[in-house]
């Protein structure tokens, strides 16, 4: 009898210990899940420091920036806008900015001059450059520019190299057949045209629209995107792209992916909700809303990433390199210039 009671007590003790172990394990699992949940909730978002130019390269960002102010983006964003890329690239190379929206060929130049420390992550603007004429109807082809003075911005970047290429394809030498007067910002070109009876200018949107509002006798003579496409050279005319520092991407790959998703949504908003986007363009001091509303449909704002980006940009850079190697920094960038999360 005593042996039977002892056996029963032993079984009971074992069951209790087992049950207790299960409760402890369950509690430990609950504590771990709670800790994981707390970590996920309290994890600090990455602050991404963006830079862009005053024009289409920044117009696609405005919804992203507005959402960031409202605290509804994955990351936090700080934005610096400038009139020229020269104001942004030193800060970018010094690590003060993480992502820039700048002329596409500048990304290649910086990549080649920094031993690969710069990556292209997206195309954000296709062709937006136009030849405009004041008080006249004399320019109907690129050949008609022979002997003319052209006021322009973008020396050493996309506008200069694209115009040089297009003129050469139409039998003109930019150094001898036309005279270029370079200005630092499009607003200078618009002001200069206002003071002249006749003038020819190369301008990007939205400043074509700005000029048209100020000058009733302004005529858009040539769309350089159409001129490029007519050559059927297998490439696209790309105005600008998004470049990022390699060390930023390596340290924050998930934040970079989240940025591209939020940026793509921002560009879609700009193209699909033009009045609302125009109001945000004015909010961020790019141009006034009425100008933006007219210009956005002609700004070719996009977000092209991955293999499509690589194919388009590499084709475009090859055209520029073959025409003037300095346009891409003396050589074409290697395959690792193109960063993709896809």
């Amino acid at each position: 009898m005593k042996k039977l009671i002892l056996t029963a007590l032993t079984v009971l003790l074992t069951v209790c210990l087992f049950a207790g172990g299960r409760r402890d394990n369950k509690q430990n699992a609950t504590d771990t899940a709670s800790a994981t949940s707390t970590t996920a909730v309290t994890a600090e978002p990455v602050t991404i420091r963006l830079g862009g130019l005053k024009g289409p390269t920044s117009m696609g960002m405005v919804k992203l920036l507005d959402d960031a102010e409202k605290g509804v983006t994955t990351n936090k964003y700080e934005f610096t806008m400038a009139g020229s890329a020269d104001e942004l690239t030193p800060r970018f190379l010094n690590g003060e900015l993480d992502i820039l929206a700048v002329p596409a060929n500048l990304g290649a130049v910086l990549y080649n001059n920094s031993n690969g420390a710069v990556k292209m992550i997206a195309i954000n603007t296709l062709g937006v450059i136009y030849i405009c004429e004041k008080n006249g109807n004399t320019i109907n082809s690129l050949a008609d520019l022979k002997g003319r003075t052209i006021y322009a911005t973008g020396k050493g970047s996309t506008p200069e190299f694209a115009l040089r290429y297009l003129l050469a394809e139409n039998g003109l030498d930019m150094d001898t057949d036309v005279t270029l007067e370079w200005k630092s910002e499009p607003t200078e070109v618009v002001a200069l045209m206002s003071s002249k009876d006749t003038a020819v200018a190369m301008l990007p949107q939205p400043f074509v629209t700005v000029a048209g509002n100020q000058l009733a006798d302004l005529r858009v003579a040539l769309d350089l995107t159409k001129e490029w496409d007519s050559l059927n050279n297998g490439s696209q005319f790309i105005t600008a792209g998004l470049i990022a520092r390699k060390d930023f991407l390596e340290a924050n790959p998930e934040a970079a992916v989240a940025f591209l998703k939020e940026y793509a949504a921002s560009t879609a908003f700009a193209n699909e909700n033009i009045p609302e986007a125009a109001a945000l363009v004015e909010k961020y001091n790019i141009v006034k809303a009425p100008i933006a509303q007219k210009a956005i449909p002609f700004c070719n704002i996009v977000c092209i990433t991955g293999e499509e980006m690589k194919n388009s940009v590499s084709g475009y850079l090859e055209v520029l390199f073959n025409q003037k190697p300095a346009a891409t920094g003396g050589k074409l960038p290697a395959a690792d210039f193109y960063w993709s999360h896809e």
Side-chain angles (χ1 to χ4, degrees):
M1 185 69 178
K2 289 181 181 180
K3 185 180 291 187
L4 181 61
I5 293 172
L6 180 61
T7 301
L9 287 173
T10 301
V11 171
L12 180 60
L13 180 61
T14 301
V15 170
C16 290
L17 287 173
F18 178 71
R22 291 185 62 184
R23 284 195 297 270
D24 289 343
N25 289 339
K26 184 176 181 180
Q27 184 62 45
N28 288 339
T30 302
D31 292 344
T32 300
S34 177
T36 302
S37 175
T38 302
T39 300
V41 170
T42 60
E44 287 296 320
V46 173
T47 297
I48 300 179
R49 299 161 301 174
L50 305 173
L53 303 181
K54 192 168 186 176
T57 64
S58 295
M59 289 167 72
M61 289 187 191
V62 293
K63 183 64 165 63
L64 169 67
L65 299 176
D66 187 59
D67 285 346
E69 284 189 23
K70 295 173 180 175
V72 296
T73 52
T74 301
N75 301 297
K76 295 181 179 179
Y77 297 100
E78 296 175 357
F79 178 59
T80 301
M81 187 169 62
S84 71
D86 291 342
E87 299 174 54
L88 298 174
T89 50
R91 296 184 59 189
F92 177 70
L93 294 175
N94 288 337
E96 299 172 32
L97 296 171
D98 303 311
I99 296 173
L100 292 187
V102 291
N105 74 295
L106 179 58
V109 172
L110 295 177
Y111 170 89
N112 284 326
N113 292 340
S114 66
N115 295 317
V118 173
K119 305 287 187 184
M120 174 74 70
I121 63 173
I123 299 168
N124 81 330
T125 317
L126 297 176
V128 296
I129 302 174
Y130 299 81
I131 300 293
C132 302
E133 181 180 19
K134 181 184 176 185
N135 275 335
N137 190 22
T138 62
I139 299 172
N140 296 289
S141 70
L142 285 161
D144 293 336
L145 292 172
K146 186 172 183 177
R148 304 297 295 265
T149 296
I150 305 169
Y151 302 101
T153 62
K155 182 175 175 58
S157 64
T158 297
E160 177 187 356
F161 298 126
L163 181 61
R164 183 180 292 277
Y165 170 69
L166 291 171
L167 288 175
E169 291 295 306
N170 285 270
L172 299 182
D173 185 327
M174 195 170 82
D175 296 323
T176 59
D177 291 323
V178 300
T179 300
L180 267 293
E181 289 198 14
W182 296 103
K183 305 300 175 185
S184 61
E185 294 189 30
T187 51
E188 292 182 58
V189 176
V190 176
L192 190 150
M193 293 185 78
S194 299
S195 66
K196 294 186 174 295
D197 293 331
T198 61
V200 177
M202 178 171 65
L203 283 168
Q205 284 288 9
F207 299 100
V208 173
T209 302
V210 171
N213 276 15
Q214 296 181 15
L215 308 170
D217 47 8
L218 187 80
R219 170 178 167 263
V220 177
L222 300 172
D223 177 346
L224 295 193
T225 301
K226 290 182 179 179
E227 297 296 327
W228 189 288
D229 290 344
S230 70
L231 298 174
N232 292 316
N233 61 14
S235 70
Q236 281 185 292
F237 184 16
I238 299 169
T239 297
L242 298 174
I243 60 173
R245 290 184 296 104
K246 178 183 176 182
D247 57 355
F248 169 79
L249 293 172
E250 289 178 345
N252 305 282
E254 292 181 0
V257 171
F259 161 73
L260 285 175
K261 289 180 180 178
E262 292 174 336
Y263 183 81
S266 185
T267 61
F269 180 89
N271 290 317
E272 297 166 9
N273 302 274
I274 292 176
E276 296 88 347
L280 293 176
V281 168
E282 178 171 333
K283 173 183 175 181
Y284 291 101
N285 198 33
I286 300 173
V287 290
K288 295 293 185 182
I291 299 293
Q293 188 161 338
K294 291 181 180 179
I296 286 173
F298 304 100
C299 285
N300 286 322
I301 297 168
V302 296
C303 181
I304 300 173
T305 60
E307 197 67 19
E308 184 180 357
M309 169 195 69
K310 179 181 177 180
N311 292 338
S312 295
V313 174
S314 61
Y316 171 71
L317 293 178
E318 185 173 359
V319 168
L320 296 191
F321 174 79
N322 290 337
Q323 179 250 329
K324 188 174 182 179
T328 64
K331 59 183 178 181
L332 290 172
D336 68 347
F337 172 55
Y338 305 97
W339 183 85
S340 176
H341 63 283
E342 298 172 358

